[in-house]
Amino acid sequence: MRRNAAVVGLRSGEQPNGALGANFNGDPSMMTWAQLREAEATWVRGFAAMPEFDEQEPAAHRAIKTLLEAGRRDLRTVLSLKFPYFPRDGHDRIPRPGTPEMDADLRRVDAVLSVVMDQVDILVIGNEPFIECPEDDWTNGAINDFYETIARHVIDYRTRNFPNGGKTVLHMGALNHLDEPGKWVNSGTDRWMRFVRETPEIAGTDIHPHVAAPDGARAYLDYVLPRLGDKRFLVTEFSLVHLWKDHLEDPVSTAYADEYEIPRDTPVWQVIRNALRDPFPKERWYAFLRTSPWFENNKHYLTDQMAEFRATGRLAVATYGIGQDEAMSGADFNAESTPWLLNSVYASATIRPGPDGSAVPNYAWLPEFKALQHS
């Protein structure tokens, strides 16, 4: 596999500079090693939800197992530790330090660290903390107390077991919706950034700019860069998914409707649902997207966004969605759904497999992803 000059030859613990990798979130079944070779990917990222380790050994966990295998295949790796305290799941607060709930999370962390420390290249403490936490705990100090406790625990573990530092670099992650400052930028995010900046063992923060306009990530950079000091940032998820969602109720183009003999008032979401229920031939899916101005006019988003991230001189690694996972591919897709599947480099759920049974790439993203490995 050809290697990106931005990531080859890193010394133990050294940070990359502007790399682009593949993200599978929590479901590595969305990708194959053959796809990563075709895309010339050099980095892979996934997350692991901590409660899963009450029932499963970390070494057998599908995300961790995949990342360890990726390392053996000479790929660089990022693991995000996810602490899901969603109110929708009945959580009314995030654990407080010193409580049995906090102690349980620390035991889970220890179990994971025993498997991944000095194995993965980057460990991100948190996934999307402000989304995965009751809103009441954003500004009362509780979210910061929790994640700072986890971070110090991880730092202490690394210091005890790898006094020379080892290869695993630590980041805090990830901040969301920084383009909505009235709600999502608050005393909790300010303290988050201060902890990142003032803790020597933390290399930087992660951000997840899922935005509704091509320039939407600028608000994220405007917030984190002045608060990072001399540190770097990760972007382990990013996309124009909210722009795609804004167009789900648009009618398809006249050209597409006439070519495929469907009513001209057929909404975009209906076409996506039809493809999920009975995947399209490649040519039809491509025609649907190419005749949709909201998509076709943004087909260079990946290149343009990476250029903006890299121009800061502070990007460590960004990772982009590699495939369409089970959560994206339900046949009940509707006008209220979030169209994550339109971001994916490979379209396994909406395009029929190729002659060899492999997933077919989205026409827009794969060429740009590959080119960005060498730019």
Side-chain angles (χ1 to χ4, degrees):
M1 186 183 292
R2 185 177 177 184
R3 291 292 175 224
N4 183 344
V7 299
V8 170
L10 291 179
R11 295 185 298 275
S12 179
E14 184 181 358
Q15 291 200 73
N17 182 21
L20 173 64
N23 172 39
F24 63 75
N25 281 327
D27 183 7
S29 69
M30 71 165 63
M31 71 176 194
T32 66
W33 303 117
Q35 288 170 353
L36 295 179
R37 285 193 298 271
E38 181 181 23
E40 301 182 27
T42 52
W43 283 80
V44 183
R45 178 260 180 177
F47 67 68
M50 303 310 292
E52 295 172 355
F53 301 113
D54 292 342
E55 305 294 335
Q56 186 177 36
E57 292 296 323
H61 186 275
R62 60 181 184 170
I64 291 176
K65 188 176 180 180
T66 299
L67 290 173
L68 295 178
E69 176 62 20
R72 288 190 288 269
R73 290 171 178 263
D74 200 27
L75 291 158
R76 301 284 178 173
T77 54
V78 183
L79 172 64
S80 299
L81 304 182
K82 179 174 181 172
F83 299 88
Y85 287 100
F86 297 102
R88 67 170 185 253
D89 295 334
H91 297 285
D92 58 2
R93 69 177 210 166
I94 199 169
R96 272 48 173 177
T99 63
E101 293 81 8
M102 184 86 229
D103 292 342
D105 267 324
L106 294 176
R107 286 193 296 272
R108 295 170 186 135
V109 168
D110 281 340
V112 174
L113 295 179
S114 69
V115 174
V116 306
M117 187 62 78
D118 205 40
Q119 299 299 311
V120 298
D121 292 277
I122 295 176
L123 184 69
V124 186
I125 301 163
N127 178 54
E128 294 181 335
F130 285 84
I131 289 178
E132 297 162 358
C133 168
E135 191 172 335
D136 288 347
D137 285 341
W138 292 2
T139 55
N140 63 10
I143 190 171
N144 304 96
D145 290 342
F146 176 85
Y147 281 95
E148 289 171 16
T149 298
I150 297 291
R152 292 190 181 100
H153 190 84
V154 173
I155 291 167
D156 289 346
Y157 181 97
R158 189 177 65 174
T159 300
R160 289 195 311 273
N161 292 279
F162 301 94
N164 294 326
K167 87 170 186 178
T168 301
V169 177
L170 306 179
H171 282 254
M172 302 290 289
L175 300 180
N176 296 83
H177 300 297
L178 296 179
D179 50 347
E180 302 177 39
K183 177 180 179 180
W184 292 86
V185 176
N186 51 56
S187 60
T189 57
D190 289 346
R191 178 174 159 183
W192 181 277
M193 292 303 304
R194 185 165 62 252
F195 180 79
V196 168
R197 184 177 65 251
E198 295 178 356
T199 305
E201 298 87 351
I202 299 297
T205 194
D206 191 3
I207 56 175
H208 284 182
H210 296 295
V211 296
D215 62 352
R218 172 45 53 185
Y220 285 73
L221 299 178
D222 288 346
Y223 180 76
V224 300
L225 288 175
R227 294 168 173 82
L228 268 176
D230 60 355
K231 298 188 176 185
R232 293 177 179 265
F233 65 95
L234 304 174
V235 193
T236 56
E237 297 182 26
F238 65 106
S239 76
L240 282 176
V241 69
H242 296 300
L243 187 152
W244 314 145
K245 187 167 184 174
D246 287 344
H247 292 278
L248 288 181
E249 296 190 76
D250 290 2
V252 296
S253 70
T254 299
Y256 177 81
D258 291 350
E259 181 177 357
Y260 290 97
E261 299 180 338
I262 64 173
R264 289 185 174 184
D265 61 354
T266 301
V268 164
W269 68 263
Q270 182 71 62
V271 174
I272 296 173
R273 181 159 74 175
N274 291 345
L276 288 169
R277 290 181 171 179
D278 184 10
F280 288 178
K282 176 179 70 175
E283 295 76 16
R284 179 166 184 169
W285 184 252
Y286 286 5
F288 161 58
L289 294 178
R290 282 189 169 125
T291 60
S292 299
W294 48 268
F295 189 90
E296 175 68 10
N297 292 345
N298 290 292
K299 66 181 180 182
H300 299 304
Y301 163 76
L302 192 53
T303 295
D304 294 342
Q305 188 60 75
M306 282 299 297
E308 183 176 25
F309 291 150
R310 287 170 168 173
T312 66
R314 310 287 289 287
L315 173 67
V317 182
T319 59
Y320 192 73
I322 190 68
Q324 297 171 332
D325 66 12
E326 295 175 1
M328 301 177 192
S329 55
D332 60 348
F333 191 94
N334 59 56
E336 301 302 316
S337 299
T338 303
W340 299 106
L341 57 86
L342 295 179
N343 299 329
S344 305
V345 175
Y346 286 89
S348 57
T350 53
I351 300 177
R352 294 174 189 170
D356 62 354
S358 62
V360 175
N362 182 303
Y363 79 93
W365 307 134
L366 181 59
E368 302 218 341
F369 189 98
K370 292 175 68 172
L372 287 162
Q373 300 303 311
H374 309 291
S375 60

